[in-house]
Amino acid sequence: MTDLPSTARAVVIGGGIVGCSVAYHLGKLGWTDTVLLERKKLTSGTTFHAAGLVGQLRTSANITQLLGHSVALYRTLEAETGLQTGWKMNGGLRLACNADRWTEVKRQATTAHSFGLEMHLLTPKEAQDLWPLMTIDDVVGAAYLPTDGQANPSDITQSLAKGARMAGVRIFEDTPVTRILVEDGRIKGVETPFGTIACEKVVCCAGQWTRDLAATVGVNVPLVSVEHQYMITERIEGVTPTLPTLRDPDRRTYWKEEVGGLVWGGYEPNPKPWAVKGIPEGFHFETLTPDFDHYAQFMDDAIARVPALAHAGVKQLLNGPESFTPDGNFILGEAPELRNFYVGAGFNAFGIASGGGAGMALAEWVAKGEPPFDLWPVDIRRFGPPHRVTDYVRTRTLEAYAKHYTIAWPAEEMRSARPLRRSPLYAHLKAAGACFGEKLGWERPNWFAGPGEEAVDRYSMARPGWHEAVGREHRAAREHAVLIDQTSFAKFRLTGRDAAGALNRIAAGNVDRAEGSLTYTQMLNAKGGIECDLTIARLGPREFYIVTGTGFATHDFDWISRNLQGEVHLSDITSSMAVLSLMGPTSREILSRHSPDDLSNAAFPFGTARWISVAGCAVLALRVTYVGELGWELHMPVEVAVTVYEALMSGEGAPVLAGYRAIETLRLEKGYRAWGADIGPDHTPVEAGLAWAVKMKTGIDFIGRQAVAAQLAEGVKKRLATFTADPSVVLLGRETIYRNGQRVGWLSSGGYGHTVGKSIGMGYVRHPDGVTEDFVLSGSYELEVASERVPAQVTLAPLYDPLNHRVKG
């Protein structure tokens, strides 16, 4: 090959639908000096055998928006390029065959309405009118999305490739990347058998090959290959080209029309991993040997749903490997381990639905250095140390695959590959009745069973089985004191001559304060969006201790490290420090019994950090709270955690053990925000009611200052508020907010307040002409919950202790 260029601005690796979509969108953004390299032929990896269903609804507004971009693109692509795409917007049906599933579907319909997506609830007969071949004896109801559809995967990929070429992008088939070149921690280029291409950025969209290829440059991409089968029938009478796609999750199957027949497949509870010892050399345009015995588990249910299937001819049982991930979401973004190396992979068999939007988002990320909007649910930085171990990734991924069509119970926990990361107090807490949850591999106590109770989660679409137990812990925090093991907190240490100035440049709050000061602060992007939400203690002239949420360890470390300047050193010390949070009105009395230090308000005011002695052990005590009560986070070396725990839990008046589900109910009553739900890169401190935490009255510059100043001067178009509803109403988040009968947003989080005795939700009230406090408070509100509207009250102040008397002790 002689026409391979020696330089390019970006190199895209992989010629499946995602790689071609990235190339297409980079071309549209003016990055015409982009090269796409495909090791064999376009679509020859897994794209060519994809089923091609395109559904849009997800639990995230932004991911739904991303999938909506796919639909918008597919509707016009054929006219743009002149190549057929097989796109049909024939709508999508989703069935519910029991009461719990029907509640889930009604909640999904509400989510769709919240995100501006048209979705209709149908009777069984109305669903059958759209899909006449199915029986409906067991159907309770159905949901219909008229803008869903289907496409031909190979055709749409070739059309994207042509669109990319029309924009100036060069595509080379039969050109494998043999090596990615890195120098001083940055991308320098790629090697191929036909020459080297020097480039600024590499975008790895190599499908199930991505994990191994990325690993050669130290980047972790947690995905594995799983066999996925579907059947293609001969023509069946009554199957028309306009038949909607059909999902029957209670029978674990999906269906679509193809050439007068049906394509149907499913997600079995016992999936089969593939290529455990590596993908065979030269594997392309290949499928696997059909496993009729394994597929047989679907047959009886499928025939019961579509009786015509019993007599239909079978063209093929197609068994194709697909890349799946541990949480069922795909993977996008710049790798935290390597600058200018981007990933788009792990699409969990919905790569066709995601391809158009994911390509758009990743192309913008490459071209502009940031995503077009918050993509946290699919951000590569949501993973951490456990995901570097392939056995862990495979075990968890098989569970996620098996749950693809099971009911998504509120607050449901994954069960596989546990326990993995354990606090030194794990055995003590388990013996005390802890029911554990898991985050980033950490076992964390969610709640504690009392006498006669079993420490087992019992899920429900109404109040869950742990509701009363959490209520006990909640009331103990308000009336006495609780002890919560929060060892899983991510903890960083920043040191160096320039530490104070470097940190103050990226923190919206002023951290350059006296030793022993404690600052709750956000870190913002240039648009003022909240990238991190954390607590920073100043321990010395050149030393800071940074605490953030368990699940944000990789993300926040990456954001801080990539924005630091000067002579500084950032280290992750999470595993070396245990954390016990002692919270409640009697917490000072309890702590004083085991510490000789002065814990009075005068000596140890709120918002300070001190090294104190507890049970003869050195403990870094942070006087801070996320539950709205007097209390301390006690940070200590892991080797003394048991000693401190046993001391605090001894004697009369000992605290009550509590877990993370009580933290959630307590923080909702106080209106404390949660990153990833109530706040994130799409929300500014002004919009989130956190402007008080921003150092605007100082002359100190910081990232995002100009954006915050502009909003303070000009106003905002959305504002976070708290809503309450009757205690019988179950709020989970994503319920639609109506103000004076008009849809104005959705709840970002929801739950129950055991002190106020009401259901509580938080969410943004939006209006294109601006949102003031008066606008929020002057409206009459309803919430749409499982497709029914209920009255709601609104407030901008905390429901509990709005003046912070309790926190200040």
Side-chain angles (χ1 to χ4, degrees):
M1 181 179 296
T2 58
D3 58 347
L4 193 72
S6 60
T7 64
R9 198 171 181 189
V11 171
V12 181
I13 303 173
I17 188 167
V18 178
C20 288
S21 180
V22 171
Y24 169 90
H25 285 96
L26 280 172
K28 293 288 187 181
L29 290 170
W31 280 48
T32 54
D33 190 13
T34 292
V35 170
L36 185 149
L37 304 177
E38 164 54 44
R39 68 185 189 97
K40 295 295 184 180
K41 302 294 184 183
L42 297 184
T43 79
S44 66
T46 61
T47 295
F48 80 95
H49 62 64
L53 280 72
V54 179
Q56 299 167 84
L57 183 61
R58 294 295 183 271
T59 55
S60 159
N62 285 356
I63 304 305
T64 295
Q65 178 184 341
L66 185 148
L67 297 177
H69 181 88
S70 291
V71 168
L73 174 63
Y74 299 165
R75 293 175 71 174
T76 61
L77 188 62
E78 184 173 326
E80 176 188 345
T81 66
L83 291 184
Q84 292 185 348
T85 63
W87 169 249
K88 292 194 299 183
M89 198 169 73
N90 47 348
L93 272 171
R94 179 176 290 266
L95 304 182
C97 300
N98 57 66
D100 284 329
R101 179 73 74 178
W102 182 228
T103 298
E104 179 187 51
V105 167
K106 288 190 292 184
R107 286 190 171 275
Q108 289 170 336
T110 290
T111 298
H113 301 158
S114 292
F115 300 165
L117 193 63
E118 185 181 359
M119 187 171 182
H120 305 283
L121 293 176
L122 307 180
T123 65
K125 183 60 173 64
E126 288 170 331
Q128 190 181 43
D129 289 342
L130 290 172
W131 229 90
L133 285 83
M134 70 172 171
T135 61
I136 56 172
D137 295 350
D138 62 335
V139 176
V140 177
Y144 177 61
L145 285 85
T147 56
D148 277 0
Q150 63 188 69
N152 181 299
S154 293
D155 287 351
I156 210 160
T157 303
Q158 294 290 353
S159 189
L160 285 166
K162 183 176 180 182
R165 291 189 184 100
M166 289 167 62
V169 173
R170 301 178 71 182
I171 296 176
F172 296 90
E173 297 179 296
D174 299 307
T175 308
V177 171
T178 55
R179 185 180 171 206
I180 300 169
L181 303 176
V182 177
E183 187 176 301
D184 296 328
R186 285 190 173 272
I187 290 293
K188 300 301 291 184
V190 298
E191 285 184 356
T192 79
F194 311 106
T196 297
I197 305 175
C199 62
E200 298 175 21
K201 302 188 178 186
V202 166
V203 192
C204 191
C205 304
Q208 60 187 344
W209 290 267
T210 299
R211 182 174 177 87
D212 288 343
L213 180 58
T216 64
V217 288
V219 172
N220 183 42
V221 184
L223 57 80
V224 293
S225 299
V226 181
E227 296 186 17
H228 184 69
Q229 299 191 108
Y230 61 80
M231 183 172 284
I232 307 169
T233 76
E234 301 283 359
R235 288 183 177 273
I236 297 175
E237 187 175 349
V239 173
T240 63
T242 59
L243 203 65
T245 61
L246 176 68
R247 292 170 178 82
D248 186 0
D250 291 308
R251 294 173 189 252
R252 295 177 171 267
T253 51
Y254 60 82
W255 307 73
K256 76 161 190 172
E257 181 273 339
E258 186 167 293
V259 199
L262 291 172
V263 168
W264 71 278
Y267 289 84
E268 59 271 33
N270 55 337
K272 295 176 62 178
W274 182 70
V276 173
K277 296 183 179 180
I279 300 172
E281 186 70 27
F283 187 88
H284 73 287
F285 276 136
E286 291 183 60
T287 56
L288 310 178
T289 302
D291 188 338
F292 283 91
D293 289 340
H294 196 67
Y295 199 73
Q297 61 189 296
F298 294 122
M299 291 304 301
D300 288 345
D301 279 346
I303 291 171
R305 177 64 70 221
V306 184
L309 191 64
H311 309 289
V314 175
K315 284 185 179 179
Q316 183 181 9
L317 178 61
L318 191 149
N319 185 1
E322 299 268 8
S323 59
F324 288 81
T325 66
D327 61 3
N329 274 327
F330 52 88
I331 303 172
L332 285 187
E334 185 178 9
E337 303 95 338
L338 180 60
R339 297 291 175 261
N340 293 333
F341 185 87
Y342 294 80
V343 174
F347 281 85
N348 299 274
F350 60 96
I352 309 306
S354 310
M360 174 275 295
L362 193 51
E364 289 213 11
W365 210 327
V366 170
K368 301 177 182 179
E370 60 183 7
F373 39 73
D374 181 13
L375 292 171
W376 174 242
V378 298
D379 193 312
I380 191 171
R381 293 170 294 178
R382 71 189 188 271
F383 299 113
H387 301 97
R388 292 192 171 277
V389 180
T390 304
D391 286 346
Y392 174 88
V393 171
R394 182 173 291 110
T395 300
R396 181 57 60 88
T397 298
L398 293 177
E399 181 186 6
Y401 179 106
K403 285 183 172 179
H404 188 86
Y405 275 154
T406 61
I407 292 175
W409 299 105
E412 185 177 10
E413 294 279 353
M414 301 292 273
R415 301 181 66 178
S416 61
R418 293 177 57 186
L420 184 67
R421 306 171 82 181
R422 285 182 268 187
S423 153
L425 300 171
Y426 177 82
H428 289 73
L429 301 180
K430 187 174 183 179
C435 183
F436 290 94
E438 178 265 348
K439 181 162 284 189
L440 213 63
W442 282 101
E443 292 295 317
R444 312 194 311 172
N446 273 342
W447 59 278
F448 287 82
E453 295 177 341
E454 190 178 8
V456 174
D457 279 336
R458 290 183 171 83
Y459 300 111
S460 172
M461 286 294 175
R463 296 292 178 207
W466 58 82
H467 183 72
E468 292 304 320
V470 170
R472 289 196 304 267
E473 297 168 22
H474 179 113
R475 287 185 287 273
R478 295 280 186 247
E479 299 165 8
H480 173 40
V482 294
L483 191 66
I484 309 168
D485 182 4
Q486 296 195 269
T487 297
S488 66
F489 270 150
K491 299 160 289 264
F492 313 140
R493 183 172 180 258
L494 180 70
T495 58
R497 183 186 66 187
D498 302 321
L503 197 53
N504 230 14
R505 177 184 166 271
I506 61 175
N510 186 12
V511 302
D512 192 2
R513 299 160 57 204
E515 291 180 36
S517 63
L518 190 63
T519 305
Y520 165 64
T521 184
Q522 291 75 47
M523 292 180 174
L524 312 180
N525 56 38
K527 299 175 184 176
I530 300 171
E531 292 286 349
C532 307
D533 182 64
L534 30 73
T535 303
I536 301 175
R538 186 167 200 172
L539 302 186
R542 300 183 176 188
E543 182 180 4
F544 292 85
Y545 184 75
I546 303 170
V547 184
T548 189
T550 305
F552 315 135
T554 305
H555 174 278
D556 288 7
F557 190 90
D558 176 68
W559 179 265
I560 295 169
S561 61
R562 71 169 54 224
N563 286 290
L564 286 173
Q565 297 178 352
E567 187 180 301
V568 293
H569 177 70
L570 182 70
S571 55
D572 186 332
I573 58 171
T574 298
S575 297
S576 67
M577 299 289 281
V579 182
L580 285 170
S581 294
L582 179 63
M583 299 287 162
T586 64
S587 59
R588 180 184 282 121
E589 176 186 342
I590 294 169
L591 192 57
S592 295
R593 288 203 296 265
H594 306 283
S595 175
D597 294 273
D598 187 350
L599 304 177
S600 66
N601 276 334
F604 204 148
F606 181 76
T608 54
R610 302 278 191 276
W611 281 100
I612 64 173
S613 172
V614 182
C617 304
V619 171
L620 177 61
L622 311 184
R623 187 155 169 216
V624 66
T625 182
Y626 194 55
V627 302
E629 298 291 344
L630 169 70
W632 285 264
E633 286 178 11
L634 305 175
H635 295 242
M636 67 206 78
V638 292
E639 65 267 22
V640 303
V642 172
T643 301
V644 173
Y645 169 85
E646 289 177 344
L648 293 174
M649 292 300 295
S650 65
E652 290 187 17
V656 172
L657 291 173
Y660 274 80
R661 290 190 175 137
I663 293 175
E664 181 68 6
T665 65
L666 291 158
R667 73 98 182 170
L668 283 171
E669 288 188 337
K670 275 295 290 180
Y672 290 149
R673 283 75 167 135
W675 196 91
D678 311 308
I679 55 177
D682 290 343
H683 313 300
T684 71
V686 183
E687 295 164 342
L690 294 172
W692 59 268
V694 182
K695 53 180 180 250
M696 297 303 293
K697 294 181 180 179
T698 73
I700 304 169
D701 195 15
F702 59 91
I703 298 173
R705 182 184 179 105
Q706 291 182 344
V708 173
Q711 286 194 335
L712 289 171
E714 301 166 9
V716 295
K717 296 182 179 181
K718 63 182 178 186
R719 192 176 291 266
L720 187 65
T722 297
F723 299 86
T724 56
D726 187 90
S728 64
V729 176
V730 177
L731 298 180
L732 303 173
R734 300 184 298 279
E735 292 84 0
T736 317
I737 304 168
Y738 289 90
R739 178 186 179 274
N740 298 340
Q742 300 296 312
R743 180 171 61 88
V744 294
W746 60 89
L747 297 186
S748 50
S749 56
Y752 183 78
H754 292 271
T755 302
V756 300
K758 297 177 180 179
S759 294
I760 304 172
M762 298 174 70
Y764 287 87
V765 175
R766 293 164 161 84
H767 194 272
D769 296 330
V771 177
T772 64
E773 289 189 12
D774 287 343
F775 179 89
V776 173
L777 298 176
S778 63
S780 175
Y781 288 89
E782 294 175 302
L783 300 173
E784 182 182 323
V785 182
S787 300
E788 296 182 6
R789 292 197 193 183
V790 300
Q793 292 72 46
V794 69
T795 180
L796 292 172
L799 296 166
Y800 177 80
D801 188 28
L803 299 180
N804 283 332
H805 293 309
R806 307 275 292 191
V807 171
K808 295 174 182 177

